[in-house]
Amino acid sequence: MYLPHQRGPLHDLPDTPEAYDAVLADVTEQALSRLTPEGNLEHPDAGDDIGDTSLGITSLLALAWQRGRDPRLPEAVRRSLAFHLRERVYTDDNPGYPNLRITDSGLPYARYVLEAGAHPIGDWPSTVWALLQAVNVLDSADGLLEDEQRTALTELALGYWRRLTESTFFNPQEAGNQAIGCVVGGLMLARHLPASAGAQIGSRALELYTDEIRAHRVRDRGALLPPEHGGAYDNNYGPISLSFLAQAHRVSGEEVFAEDGEALARYIDARLTNGGFDNGGPRYSEQHSGFESVLGLRYFSARVGADLGRYRGDTRWGRHAVQRDGRVDGHFAFMLVWQIQDTSHWHRVPSTAPARHQLRRGTVSVAFDSRMTPSLVEAAGTYYLPAAVRRQHGFGPVTDGFLLCRPMGEVRVRDVRADGLAAKLVTKPVVGRDHVLRHVRSLYVTDGTSLWVTVAVERLDGAPYLLSGLPYAADDGDRVRRVAEGEVVAAAGLRLTHPADPGPDHFDARAELTQEQAAFALTADPRGYGNPDEGWRHLVGSTALEADPAPCAPQDLHVFALRYGPGGPFSPAFDSDERGLTVHTEAFTAVVGDPAGDAAGEPVLTLSV
């Protein structure tokens, strides 16, 4: 079973001018064959996300004409624009719409669903999208539109802006991508208005960004991020927000957009595995955007010096939105326009700077959450999620059913590079059921092919074991497929356990159910509106790798040791002296210092081949 949305890395899509001209040529032929006598360019199967789609195709045709002067296009652009102005502009309030500040304003908006009152909640983002499609048409209007149509479209765009910022609450869905998109629309519209009016709208757009978006950023993994549907980051919409930040910077040159975009880009780089796999979010868990992310990932990859294009997108949407038959839909067309106009290039080399929330070398990577517990481990092409035991999630020692991974105090991190090895030592103070403060020292070492994990903690009572992850997916190159096992060895007692309870709050990796489906099943709200991250936190138990303590550890410690990935015999050895705990493996020797750390309390680690 393949995960439907985790497909190829986005930087594998050709992005030369010739490639984009071929995309536009295909869109042109599809649009001309679809154009109705009334001028409608909507896909015949479109039902929702529809209010801006014909105008989106119009914007692509306008850009295609500017690039190629196809003589068939001016009439098609004018007819389709007339259709939107005549048939897809609504000024009567949509029955049931809950987010109005001013009723009966008469200001125009685009509908998410055409039927009155059918699904009004989506009208705000649909109006943002319509504003962006409109300003893209205006950007290509020279020599194409007659004065009357151009004036009507400018007035409509201004009306959309006023609807979004005056007669409705701003950003009613708490969706960063929609809100930043609205700001971009204002910045682009300002260039088509008289100087004084343009300056006023440009200033208002920047004010909205500062006061309504930037001031409400949410911290995750050390980064301040535009909130997305009530959470800090969503792996579908987060990269889309990055694209809007890229366009905002391209249009305005304001440094705040570059600064915030670089922060988001570094965050994305840290949470992505080497293979580009990611999961998690308050709106979707595994439904990745495709072309909508390309602009931001490409624009900021060079600015932060990281290979962000490894992000696995939905390559069925590799160029533009499509319907089930694979034919073009105008939704998000503005992002393809900006992709084509942007001249930045992919940065394809991984960042070499150590990042607190990431360890990465070669084909091995570990992404860490805000508690410095692994959120995703990749080795030998297999991806491991945090396992669950008794409603506790993570990687770490378990004693008496209690998982020791939640910090009770400052978490300290030390990164070391030596002779082709990359290592990270995490020292975490924890408290168990007995209320005793202990220090969990977790050492992660990779040579780029395998990952060695050693965890040491003051000796525990009972029969402790190390919760070592949930094997979930594997990389097949162009696709990611579900798996229920991985290539792992341990110093002692490694086992792969599965839940005995088949209920929805237990996740069995052998089942066909995806993580996203299981997470949505546990949310309080219906699919598509519930928070899958929140739902997943209700998971009671899961498939899990469990490892027993290594033999011959120092008397005062429990030490656990594993290797993820290929290799020969695995028989690590340990000893302790005044320097700390020494770990010997077939690939390296490491000395893990006392939990007290150095004079500043920071972890001490030495590493040698």
Side-chain angles (χ1 to χ4, degrees):
M1 175 181 175
Y2 287 91
L3 299 180
H5 303 280
Q6 300 258 3
R7 293 176 179 251
L10 291 180
H11 64 200
D12 287 352
L13 296 169
D15 60 355
T16 63
E18 293 77 16
Y20 282 130
D21 282 339
V23 172
L24 287 176
D26 178 55
V27 169
T28 294
E29 297 307 319
Q30 289 191 47
L32 292 177
S33 66
R34 177 186 302 170
L35 185 65
T36 68
E38 295 79 23
N40 188 352
L41 287 170
E42 293 162 0
H43 191 287
D45 294 336
D48 53 21
D49 279 325
I50 193 172
D52 66 291
T53 61
S54 182
L55 187 59
I57 300 293
T58 302
S59 72
L60 292 173
L61 296 182
L63 178 64
W65 183 79
Q66 291 290 356
R67 291 169 68 89
R69 299 302 197 209
D70 185 330
R72 300 173 297 171
L73 292 180
E75 181 187 359
V77 168
R78 293 165 191 157
R79 281 175 56 197
S80 60
L81 178 55
F83 168 81
H84 182 84
L85 293 170
R86 183 180 67 251
E87 303 291 343
R88 292 296 180 259
V89 177
Y90 296 86
T91 56
D92 293 335
D93 295 344
N94 202 349
Y97 186 68
N99 300 316
L100 293 174
R101 296 168 59 95
I102 303 171
T103 60
D104 300 321
S105 67
L107 293 171
Y109 65 95
R111 284 187 176 172
Y112 175 75
V113 173
L114 297 182
E115 182 184 353
H119 200 325
I121 200 70
D123 289 353
W124 201 86
S126 289
T127 303
V128 174
W129 278 205
L131 169 61
L132 295 170
Q133 318 281 28
V135 293
N136 276 342
V137 174
L138 289 173
D139 281 353
S140 298
D142 287 348
L144 186 60
L145 296 184
E146 297 173 352
D147 290 346
E148 183 178 352
Q149 266 197 331
R150 186 170 189 162
T151 299
L153 183 59
T154 304
E155 292 176 350
L156 175 62
L158 180 58
Y160 284 152
W161 169 258
R162 293 187 59 203
R163 165 70 72 157
L164 293 165
T165 60
E166 296 176 18
S167 71
T168 67
F169 287 95
F170 184 79
N171 192 20
Q173 294 187 18
E174 298 182 11
N177 75 98
Q178 298 173 9
I180 304 171
C182 180
V183 167
V184 171
L187 294 172
M188 296 182 70
L189 172 63
R191 303 182 302 181
H192 295 282
L193 299 175
S196 60
Q200 184 177 9
I201 287 179
S203 176
R204 176 62 175 151
L206 292 173
E207 181 183 81
L208 285 169
Y209 182 76
T210 301
D211 296 344
E212 300 295 336
I213 303 172
R214 199 166 198 261
H216 297 281
R217 288 176 298 170
V218 178
R219 185 176 295 277
D220 185 49
R221 308 185 193 194
L224 284 172
L225 309 171
E228 193 58 65
H229 289 282
Y233 178 82
D234 181 274
N235 68 5
N236 178 73
Y237 290 116
I240 296 176
S241 284
L242 189 66
S243 287
F244 281 126
L245 288 169
Q247 181 66 4
H249 187 246
R250 291 182 66 237
V251 171
S252 70
E254 293 287 340
E255 192 59 26
V256 66
F257 298 119
E259 179 182 331
D260 292 354
E262 289 173 11
L264 177 54
R266 291 189 181 96
Y267 171 88
I268 293 173
D269 182 45
R271 68 176 288 143
L272 274 183
T273 61
N274 173 77
F277 177 80
D278 186 23
N279 82 302
R283 183 68 188 274
Y284 295 116
S285 293
E286 295 175 306
Q287 296 191 40
H288 281 193
S289 54
F291 72 97
E292 315 103 294
S293 298
V294 168
L295 174 66
L297 294 170
R298 189 175 67 196
Y299 188 82
F300 284 106
S301 67
R303 294 186 67 93
V304 302
D307 55 337
L308 302 179
R310 71 187 189 278
Y311 176 94
R312 285 185 174 275
D314 187 345
T315 50
R316 296 171 302 178
W317 282 39
R319 296 301 191 184
H320 45 67
V322 297
Q323 288 288 338
R324 291 181 181 275
D325 61 2
R327 294 180 65 78
V328 64
D329 184 291
H331 190 52
F332 264 107
F334 52 85
M335 204 70 84
L336 176 58
V337 171
W338 302 341
Q339 264 192 53
I340 295 172
Q341 293 170 337
D342 177 53
T343 58
S344 62
H345 299 285
W346 290 111
H347 182 92
R348 296 178 177 272
V349 180
S351 172
T352 57
R356 178 179 173 89
H357 296 90
Q358 180 197 63
L359 175 68
R360 182 183 172 204
R361 173 151 295 188
T363 60
V364 173
S365 50
V366 185
F368 296 86
D369 64 18
S370 292
R371 304 179 304 182
M372 288 306 297
T373 297
S375 61
L376 197 55
V377 172
E378 174 192 19
T382 299
Y383 303 110
Y384 302 84
L385 302 179
V389 57
R390 296 191 183 182
R391 299 187 188 276
Q392 305 161 92
H393 299 205
F395 291 72
V398 177
T399 178
D400 190 26
F402 192 85
L403 174 60
L404 299 173
C405 75
R406 289 173 297 282
M408 183 66 73
E410 190 66 25
V411 180
R412 311 280 186 144
V413 178
R414 177 73 186 276
D415 283 279
V416 172
R417 303 287 188 270
D419 299 320
L421 299 174
K424 187 183 295 285
L425 173 61
V426 178
T427 300
K428 184 183 298 187
V430 300
V431 173
R433 295 191 194 279
D434 57 7
H435 295 266
V436 174
L437 180 67
R438 294 179 173 86
H439 296 85
V440 176
R441 289 173 289 169
S442 302
L443 173 65
Y444 306 86
V445 181
T446 180
D447 61 359
T449 301
S450 296
L451 172 70
W452 290 263
V453 177
T454 304
V455 178
V457 62
E458 291 91 337
R459 187 159 286 271
L460 302 164
D461 294 331
Y465 64 90
L466 187 71
L467 193 65
S468 306
L470 156 65
Y472 176 67
D475 192 343
D476 272 1
D478 292 335
R479 298 285 298 276
V480 174
R481 60 180 171 83
R482 284 291 315 282
V483 297
E485 58 185 21
E487 192 174 357
V488 186
V489 293
L494 181 68
R495 55 195 168 270
L496 182 65
T497 65
H498 302 286
D501 188 333
D505 54 359
H506 290 76
F507 184 81
D508 192 327
R510 297 169 298 180
E512 290 191 357
L513 199 69
T514 67
Q515 185 272 346
E516 179 179 87
Q517 291 168 331
F520 270 119
L522 294 171
T523 59
D525 297 309
R527 179 175 173 80
Y529 296 93
N531 182 334
D533 275 357
E534 182 179 327
W536 191 248
R537 285 192 287 269
H538 292 300
L539 196 70
V540 173
S542 73
T543 292
L545 283 163
E546 301 172 358
D548 290 333
C552 303
Q555 189 173 4
D556 60 338
L557 295 175
H558 270 126
V559 179
F560 308 86
L562 300 93
R563 184 186 65 213
Y564 298 79
F570 182 63
S571 54
F574 314 95
D575 56 71
S576 181
D577 56 25
E578 68 280 358
R579 298 178 303 161
L581 174 68
T582 300
V583 180
H584 301 280
T585 75
E586 72 279 11
F588 64 88
T589 295
V591 180
V592 178
D594 187 271
D598 60 16
E602 297 301 324
V604 176
L605 173 65
T606 60
L607 182 68
S608 61
V609 174

